[in-house]
Amino acid sequence: AGNWKMNLDHLQATHLVQKLDWSLRDGKHDHGAVEVAVLPPFTDIRSVQTLIDGDRLPLKYGAQDLSVHDSGAYTGEISGAFLAKLGCTYVAVGHSERREYHNETDAVVNAKIKAAYTHGLTPIFCCGEGLEIRQAGEQVAHVLGQIEAGLDGLPAEQAASIVIAYEPIWAIGTGRTATPQQANDICGGVVRQTVRELYGEAVADATRILYGGSANDKNIRELMEQPDIDGALIGGAALKVESYGEMVRVT
């Protein structure tokens, strides 16, 4: 999944999606093997939907956030009901930038995950530690706590369908990337193991776990070779068609 963050207006969005589709077709990408999704800004979603539906492009799309509320006097909020009407498949929940800049707590993230499922959306549930936590050696306890809080009260059926993205905050947009072993240790030893302890082996096997954090076409192959990394949540590199297309092919 490519998280565009606050980049590209709706016209630029359609151009990028067209170029991405052409790039994947040129590379004879097998969409049955690797799903490709884009998460544009809210104002772009309708244009992206029209293009993907109209041209029957084999791409999925979603949003970068949603409200915990279904409707009401919540100025500036976007309901999951609105996203569902736009045909979104995915919605990112709990991204580190939402946690940091908008003070989203684990309880808010949990409520947003449940709101997504209420409207038939699949959450891309983000977790990860900051540099201070990593340097203190507390990353395992930190991420474990995020996973337990985010999944609190979630039935096994939903836990099996959720997408969990491990994004070490110290690697997001910094050019620093977790080593493949560091990434897999958290994705497998913490994220998947916590899901296993909460829901059992079958659910843990079904849960898709992504890595995010300065992943690019140079380091993606080693990351994707790790046994507990099922895909990637891409930031800046998703805005560059050549890089993103190459990353998809490697995945």
Side-chain angles (χ1 to χ4, degrees):
N3 176 17
W4 296 359
K5 305 190 179 186
M6 196 176 71
N7 294 290
L8 308 184
D9 60 35
H10 74 285
L11 295 175
Q12 294 170 321
T14 57
H15 295 159
L16 182 61
V17 170
Q18 286 175 326
K19 290 178 182 178
L20 176 60
D21 177 62
W22 295 336
S23 174
L24 296 177
R25 288 179 190 273
D26 286 344
K28 296 180 173 57
H29 171 64
D30 181 1
H31 287 274
V34 179
E35 189 175 61
V36 183
V38 294
L39 306 179
F42 289 130
T43 54
D44 298 1
I45 295 176
R46 177 58 171 162
S47 296
V48 169
Q49 176 197 29
T50 300
L51 175 60
I52 289 178
D53 288 353
D55 290 356
R56 298 183 179 180
L57 305 184
L59 302 171
K60 298 291 179 64
Y61 60 93
Q64 299 172 18
D65 187 35
L66 83 166
S67 175
V68 300
H69 306 287
D70 292 341
S71 63
Y74 303 105
T75 301
E77 293 282 290
I78 301 294
S79 167
F82 304 162
L83 301 177
K85 285 293 186 182
L86 287 169
C88 290
T89 298
Y90 296 106
V91 58
V93 176
H95 191 280
S96 62
E97 290 157 3
R98 297 293 310 178
R99 293 176 187 263
E100 179 179 0
Y101 305 141
H102 299 273
N103 302 311
E104 290 192 1
T105 63
D106 286 336
V108 170
V109 172
N110 177 253
K112 288 189 173 187
I113 289 173
K114 292 173 179 175
Y117 276 118
T118 295
H119 297 290
L121 303 167
T122 299
I124 299 177
F125 167 31
C126 302
C127 61
E129 79 282 359
L131 183 59
E132 318 77 37
I133 294 172
R134 166 67 65 164
Q135 289 177 333
E138 298 173 354
Q139 64 272 13
V140 170
H142 181 79
V143 175
L144 188 153
Q146 287 182 321
I147 298 300
E148 289 183 334
L151 299 180
D152 185 44
L154 211 66
E157 180 182 357
Q158 292 178 348
S161 69
I162 200 170
V163 179
I164 302 179
Y166 167 59
E167 294 194 300
I169 299 169
W170 49 271
I172 298 176
T174 64
R176 301 175 60 177
T177 310
T179 67
Q181 187 62 57
Q182 286 175 326
N184 192 70
D185 285 348
I186 298 294
C187 289
V190 180
V191 178
R192 201 178 304 279
Q193 181 58 28
T194 302
V195 174
R196 181 178 292 114
E197 291 172 358
L198 292 173
Y199 298 100
E201 194 71 35
V203 173
D205 288 344
T207 301
R208 288 181 290 174
I209 302 175
L210 313 183
Y211 171 78
S214 294
N216 55 51
D217 54 352
K218 304 296 190 299
N219 58 32
I220 191 69
R221 186 178 298 277
E222 285 187 297
L223 289 166
M224 293 303 104
E225 288 174 348
Q226 301 305 305
D228 281 299
I229 301 178
D230 302 316
L233 181 60
I234 310 302
L239 301 173
K240 303 171 185 176
V241 170
E242 295 78 10
S243 295
Y244 191 37
E246 178 60 25
M247 294 174 77
V248 169
R249 286 187 282 273
V250 169
T251 303

